Tab-separated table of all heavy atoms in Angstrom:
chain	number	residue	atom	x	y	z
K	16	ARG	N	-115.317	8.996	-70.845
K	16	ARG	CA	-114.003	8.509	-70.463
K	16	ARG	C	-113.674	7.271	-71.276
K	16	ARG	O	-114.538	6.465	-71.594
K	16	ARG	CB	-113.940	8.192	-68.963
K	16	ARG	CG	-115.017	7.254	-68.455
K	16	ARG	CD	-114.967	7.131	-66.941
K	16	ARG	NE	-113.861	6.310	-66.521
K	16	ARG	CZ	-113.977	5.024	-66.237
K	16	ARG	NH1	-115.137	4.426	-66.347
K	16	ARG	NH2	-112.921	4.326	-65.849
K	21	ARG	N	-111.344	-4.040	-67.722
K	21	ARG	CA	-112.289	-5.158	-67.763
K	21	ARG	C	-113.198	-5.155	-66.545
K	21	ARG	O	-114.388	-5.467	-66.638
K	21	ARG	CB	-111.510	-6.470	-67.853
K	21	ARG	CG	-112.441	-7.684	-67.895
K	21	ARG	CD	-111.692	-8.952	-68.195
K	21	ARG	NE	-112.597	-10.062	-68.185
K	21	ARG	CZ	-113.459	-10.349	-69.131
K	21	ARG	NH1	-113.538	-9.579	-70.182
K	21	ARG	NH2	-114.260	-11.385	-69.042
K	120	GLY	N	-115.983	-4.047	-82.059
K	120	GLY	CA	-116.505	-2.729	-82.396
K	120	GLY	C	-117.705	-2.805	-83.308
K	120	GLY	O	-118.686	-2.069	-83.146
K	141	THR	N	-135.336	-7.229	-79.501
K	141	THR	CA	-134.435	-6.621	-78.530
K	141	THR	C	-133.092	-7.337	-78.566
K	141	THR	O	-133.019	-8.553	-78.390
K	141	THR	CB	-135.036	-6.698	-77.127
K	141	THR	OG1	-136.343	-6.117	-77.154
K	141	THR	CG2	-134.177	-5.957	-76.124
K	149	SER	N	-118.421	-19.403	-78.667
K	149	SER	CA	-117.699	-19.570	-79.929
K	149	SER	C	-117.548	-21.038	-80.313
K	149	SER	O	-117.633	-21.390	-81.492
K	149	SER	CB	-116.322	-18.910	-79.847
K	149	SER	OG	-115.526	-19.523	-78.844
K	190	ALA	N	-158.668	-5.443	-99.977
K	190	ALA	CA	-158.714	-4.048	-100.446
K	190	ALA	C	-159.434	-3.930	-101.783
K	190	ALA	O	-159.595	-2.820	-102.296
K	190	ALA	CB	-157.294	-3.508	-100.577
K	202	ARG	N	-148.711	-13.493	-107.965
K	202	ARG	CA	-148.442	-14.339	-106.799
K	202	ARG	C	-148.024	-15.742	-107.234
K	202	ARG	O	-147.053	-16.306	-106.731
K	202	ARG	CB	-149.688	-14.393	-105.926
K	202	ARG	CG	-149.528	-15.166	-104.632
K	202	ARG	CD	-150.865	-15.275	-103.932
K	202	ARG	NE	-150.749	-15.936	-102.643
K	202	ARG	CZ	-151.698	-16.665	-102.085
K	202	ARG	NH1	-152.864	-16.832	-102.736
K	202	ARG	NH2	-151.534	-17.230	-100.919
K	233	GLN	N	-127.080	-18.917	-113.890
K	233	GLN	CA	-127.923	-18.141	-114.794
K	233	GLN	C	-129.401	-18.431	-114.551
K	233	GLN	O	-130.228	-17.516	-114.521
K	233	GLN	CB	-127.564	-18.445	-116.242
K	233	GLN	CG	-128.371	-17.640	-117.246
K	233	GLN	CD	-127.953	-17.923	-118.684
K	233	GLN	OE1	-126.981	-18.631	-118.928
K	233	GLN	NE2	-128.707	-17.383	-119.630
K	301	PHE	N	-128.883	-4.831	-88.632
K	301	PHE	CA	-128.291	-3.503	-88.439
K	301	PHE	C	-126.772	-3.542	-88.599
K	301	PHE	O	-126.064	-2.699	-88.044
K	301	PHE	CB	-128.689	-2.965	-87.065
K	301	PHE	CG	-130.185	-2.870	-86.887
K	301	PHE	CD1	-130.903	-3.894	-86.288
K	301	PHE	CD2	-130.882	-1.767	-87.356
K	301	PHE	CE1	-132.279	-3.820	-86.140
K	301	PHE	CE2	-132.263	-1.677	-87.224
K	301	PHE	CZ	-132.963	-2.703	-86.614
K	304	CYS	N	-125.176	-0.233	-90.528
K	304	CYS	CA	-125.729	1.051	-90.096
K	304	CYS	C	-124.635	1.956	-89.548
K	304	CYS	O	-123.499	1.533	-89.319
K	304	CYS	CB	-126.784	0.830	-89.015
K	304	CYS	SG	-128.327	0.086	-89.589
K	327	THR	N	-119.564	-9.970	-108.450
K	327	THR	CA	-118.999	-11.323	-108.556
K	327	THR	C	-120.051	-12.417	-108.444
K	327	THR	O	-119.751	-13.580	-108.715
K	327	THR	CB	-117.943	-11.540	-107.456
K	327	THR	OG1	-118.563	-11.397	-106.165
K	327	THR	CG2	-116.820	-10.509	-107.575
K	330	SER	N	-125.110	-15.503	-109.772
K	330	SER	CA	-126.397	-16.140	-109.480
K	330	SER	C	-127.466	-15.121	-109.102
K	330	SER	O	-128.616	-15.494	-108.867
K	330	SER	CB	-126.237	-17.151	-108.343
K	330	SER	OG	-125.753	-16.510	-107.177
K	342	ALA	N	-121.843	9.124	-102.290
K	342	ALA	CA	-122.865	8.796	-101.291
K	342	ALA	C	-122.362	7.777	-100.277
K	342	ALA	O	-123.070	7.469	-99.317
K	342	ALA	CB	-124.119	8.265	-101.982
K	344	SER	N	-120.980	7.413	-97.482
K	344	SER	CA	-120.610	8.118	-96.262
K	344	SER	C	-121.796	8.089	-95.319
K	344	SER	O	-122.898	7.705	-95.699
K	344	SER	CB	-120.219	9.566	-96.569
K	344	SER	OG	-121.357	10.302	-97.015
K	372	ARG	N	-144.269	6.397	-102.653
K	372	ARG	CA	-145.089	7.545	-102.252
K	372	ARG	C	-144.221	8.711	-101.762
K	372	ARG	O	-144.585	9.875	-101.926
K	372	ARG	CB	-146.073	7.146	-101.162
K	372	ARG	CG	-147.055	6.044	-101.566
K	372	ARG	CD	-148.240	5.962	-100.622
K	372	ARG	NE	-147.869	6.004	-99.208
K	372	ARG	CZ	-148.729	6.225	-98.224
K	372	ARG	NH1	-150.018	6.425	-98.478
K	372	ARG	NH2	-148.331	6.239	-96.961
K	389	SER	N	-152.493	21.439	-92.006
K	389	SER	CA	-153.610	20.673	-91.444
K	389	SER	C	-154.392	19.958	-92.538
K	389	SER	O	-154.797	18.802	-92.382
K	389	SER	CB	-154.533	21.600	-90.646
K	389	SER	OG	-153.845	22.169	-89.558
K	435	GLN	N	-109.390	-9.730	-76.139
K	435	GLN	CA	-109.056	-10.650	-77.233
K	435	GLN	C	-107.630	-10.430	-77.718
K	435	GLN	O	-106.890	-11.385	-77.964
K	435	GLN	CB	-110.030	-10.450	-78.396
K	435	GLN	CG	-111.444	-10.907	-78.105
K	435	GLN	CD	-112.355	-10.741	-79.303
K	435	GLN	OE1	-112.107	-11.305	-80.369
K	435	GLN	NE2	-113.410	-9.963	-79.146
K	473	GLY	N	-141.033	17.646	-92.806
K	473	GLY	CA	-142.009	18.687	-92.524
K	473	GLY	C	-141.658	19.562	-91.351
K	473	GLY	O	-142.318	20.569	-91.101
K	498	PRO	N	-140.255	2.831	-73.007
K	498	PRO	CA	-139.186	1.992	-72.453
K	498	PRO	C	-137.784	2.426	-72.870
K	498	PRO	O	-136.795	2.016	-72.258
K	498	PRO	CB	-139.520	0.595	-73.006
K	498	PRO	CG	-140.969	0.641	-73.331
K	498	PRO	CD	-141.230	2.040	-73.779
Side-chain angles (χ1 to χ4, degrees):
R16 53 187 285 263
R21 180 171 178 75
T141 306
S149 62
R202 184 186 184 210
Q233 182 178 353
F301 302 95
C304 289
T327 61
S330 59
S344 67
R372 300 196 314 165
S389 298
Q435 291 182 59

